[in-house]
Amino acid sequence: DGYVNVKEKCTKCVGDNVKKCDHIKKPTECKEHYYLWKKECVGTCPSGTYPDSKNHCKSCGKNCISCKSLTECKKCHKLYLFKGKCIKTCPIKTVLAFGICVPCKSAECNVCRLSDQGYCVKCEDKLLNYNGECVTSCPDGFYKAKNNTCKSCDSKCAICKKKKNSK
């Protein structure tokens, strides 16, 4: 371990924690619990890399600064993390929280609050928003407003189509 045959001589490899090296004594394989990165054996793979199955430090990929594998990013650079990928904008049904696109709690919700993913701001097209909840129709005492929200009726009405009669 840590030696190579160079011109019929047993020669020590360059660096620490080396298991195997090439003819110019540079590491090609590291001892257990060490990873090969840029022809050196290191204790941990540096930022922007991950250890592969051969214990080589491999690049995470474009815009990813921390990952578990090439296909699973954990932290993005100047982009947002969504399902292990770095994307430019969070898709509908998610909200941006500290660089991560977090899903809204309701499947019918297109836009939810950052502070409470259970509170819907905008529902799917065919649904109405009633106090942060997506409903098929407004309850008694409320009417469907133009922006697909349920608004309170005039205090004298139990059922209405608009807030007040306007002239």
Side-chain angles (χ1 to χ4, degrees):
D1 271 5
Y3 288 86
V4 65
N5 184 347
V6 178
K7 295 181 182 178
E8 303 301 319
K9 287 185 180 179
C10 190
T11 308
K12 187 172 178 12
C13 298
V14 174
D16 296 325
N17 305 302
V18 179
K19 186 174 182 179
K20 292 181 183 176
C21 56
D22 60 18
H23 67 284
I24 56 171
K25 303 184 278 183
K26 292 288 185 179
T28 57
E29 191 178 332
C30 300
K31 291 180 180 176
E32 193 175 355
H33 306 295
Y34 290 89
Y35 307 96
L36 186 64
W37 183 65
K38 294 185 177 183
K39 297 279 185 181
E40 286 184 44
C41 293
V42 294
T44 57
C45 288
S47 180
T49 67
Y50 67 96
D52 69 3
S53 60
K54 295 178 181 177
N55 284 349
H56 294 173
C57 297
K58 298 288 185 180
S59 176
C60 287
K62 192 175 181 182
N63 300 311
C64 183
I65 55 176
S66 176
C67 63
K68 288 184 180 180
S69 68
L70 184 59
T71 57
E72 190 178 350
C73 188
K74 295 192 299 183
K75 190 173 183 186
C76 300
H77 175 70
K78 294 186 179 179
L79 294 177
Y80 308 120
L81 184 65
F82 179 65
K83 294 184 177 179
K85 305 273 184 250
C86 296
I87 58 175
K88 288 182 181 179
T89 56
C90 290
I92 63 166
K93 301 185 182 294
T94 66
V95 64
L96 180 61
F98 308 105
I100 301 169
C101 300
V102 179
C104 298
K105 289 182 180 171
S106 169
E108 298 88 21
C109 185
N110 282 347
V111 180
C112 56
R113 281 188 179 164
L114 170 60
S115 60
D116 179 6
Q117 290 84 31
Y119 187 94
C120 193
V121 177
K122 187 171 183 353
C123 298
E124 289 180 341
D125 287 342
K126 294 179 181 178
L127 296 174
L128 306 170
N129 190 321
Y130 171 67
N131 292 334
E133 194 176 318
C134 298
V135 295
T136 53
S137 62
C138 294
D140 288 349
F142 292 83
Y143 68 96
K144 177 187 169 190
K146 288 181 183 177
N147 59 355
N148 277 2
T149 60
C150 296
K151 297 288 182 188
S152 179
C153 295
D154 187 284
S155 61
K156 296 173 189 150
C157 296
I159 299 172
C160 62
K161 289 185 181 182
K162 292 182 181 175
K163 177 89 172 164
K164 292 181 180 176
N165 289 340
S166 53
K167 294 181 182 179

